[in-house]
Structures are given as C-alpha cells and as structure tokens.
Amino acid sequence: VYAGQAMGFLRFNTASLNLLALLIEWGAESAAKCAQVADLRARSVFDERFSVYSTVYFDIQVAKEFGRSQRYALPFSLIFVGLGDFVGPSEEARESALKIVSRVLRESARSIDAVTLTPYADAPFALLMPTATRETAVESRASLREAFAKLQLPAPVSFGIGSYAASMKSKEELIEQAK
C-alpha cells in the first residue's frame, strides 16, 4: 500500500485489476496455443515436399488398419515402393525422381488408399490399401509397374507387397512380408 501511495500512477481499481487479469489469461492462452502448434508440427501427418502422408501417419495407420483386420477379419494390404540405385548428377535429381514416384502413386491410388512416406530407406513410399486382398494388391502393383515403365526413370522402381493374414500377431509381420 505504501509503494502505491508513493507512486500515484500505480493506483489500481477494480476495472484495472480485471483488465490485468484478462491480459494475463490471454497471455497464458497464447502460450498454450503456441505449444499446441509446435506439438502439431512435430506430429505432422502430411509431407508437403512430396504431397503424401508422413511416416508418423504411416505408423499410426498401419497399426490402426492391422488392428481392424484382426478384429473384423478384413483384408488389408500395403505396397512398399522403392527407387533403386539412382544414377544421377545430384541429390536434387534424386528428389525430383522421388516426386515423380509420389505423383504416380497418388494418381494410381484408389480413393480409400493412402500414399505415405515410410521410415525405411530402401522403400521410401508405401501405398496403404484398406480392404484390399493380396490379389488386389498384385493387380495394383502390375498397374504401377506399367505406369513407371512408361516414365523411364533413371533408376528402377521396386515393389514389395504385404497382406494381412489371420496368423499374423503384429503389424511388424505384415511390414516384414512387404519388404
């Protein structure tokens, strides 16, 4: 009280205290929103460089679809897509080829399929195919091979298929089958 009396500009009334409380609340909310944005960026599910879903999405969706297949005995397949030994002048040329691969995958996918990045260097992309049997995945692989053959990329494109089987105990078995 004494300091407030010595400095007249520090006199607070109910309105100024309410305003101060409001500003503090807004500041706290802003800090919380900044933390949420940072968290969302860290967990981003979309890769803008290749216009496909991220490896985070890959991990989440494979686990989700594998669980759904186990519970309801539904088919689920995935196709890993890799770009073989690249013969090119630069890393920029390799990235350009990978962008072409991602575009072809997006254009070839069914409406319920998802094209994702994977955490595996030898197969940077995956086509997640809910409700697709192994036969459907084999047909899709054949179509993809035709599409990539027309493009004459500077490296061969490789494919691996994994399809859910009732005997599988974990999503890792499905992934290993596709590798």
Side-chain angles (χ1 to χ4, degrees):
V1 174
Y2 180 75
Q5 292 172 349
M7 294 185 255
F9 65 90
L10 285 180
R11 289 192 182 146
F12 296 105
N13 59 26
T14 305
S16 60
L17 289 175
N18 287 341
L19 178 61
L20 180 61
L22 178 65
L23 292 173
I24 290 170
E25 186 178 329
W26 281 350
E29 287 175 8
S30 294
K33 285 181 182 177
C34 287
Q36 286 176 337
V37 167
D39 185 48
L40 286 174
R41 283 188 179 144
R43 295 184 302 141
S44 179
V45 295
F46 193 74
D47 183 276
E48 292 179 17
R49 186 175 56 162
F50 296 113
S51 298
V52 298
Y53 291 104
S54 70
T55 57
V56 171
Y57 186 85
F58 171 83
D59 290 334
I60 292 168
Q61 284 304 113
V62 169
K64 187 184 207 180
E65 292 300 333
F66 186 85
R68 185 175 291 147
S69 294
Q70 278 185 315
R71 267 190 310 283
Y72 304 115
L74 293 172
F76 171 54
S77 295
L78 59 87
I79 302 175
F80 280 147
V81 182
L83 193 58
D85 293 331
F86 184 78
V87 180
S90 68
E91 186 61 32
E92 188 176 292
R94 179 174 173 73
E95 185 160 324
S96 177
L98 288 171
K99 286 181 180 180
I100 292 169
V101 170
S102 71
R103 180 179 48 84
V104 170
L105 288 171
R106 288 190 319 270
E107 291 171 356
S108 302
R110 303 174 307 164
S111 62
I112 62 170
D113 295 344
V115 179
T116 72
L117 289 174
T118 74
Y120 311 109
D122 56 338
F125 296 104
L127 180 60
L128 306 182
M129 305 176 73
T131 72
T133 62
R134 183 162 191 82
E135 293 76 25
T136 303
V138 168
E139 291 169 10
S140 292
R141 178 182 62 187
S143 297
L144 288 169
R145 277 194 175 132
E146 287 178 26
F148 285 116
K150 293 175 186 173
L151 294 176
Q152 299 175 347
L153 291 170
V157 179
S158 60
F159 303 93
I161 296 177
S163 294
Y164 172 76
S167 62
M168 291 181 173
K169 302 293 182 221
S170 70
K171 68 177 182 148
E172 286 73 22
E173 291 179 71
L174 176 69
I175 290 168
E176 281 305 311
Q177 185 186 78
K179 287 184 175 179

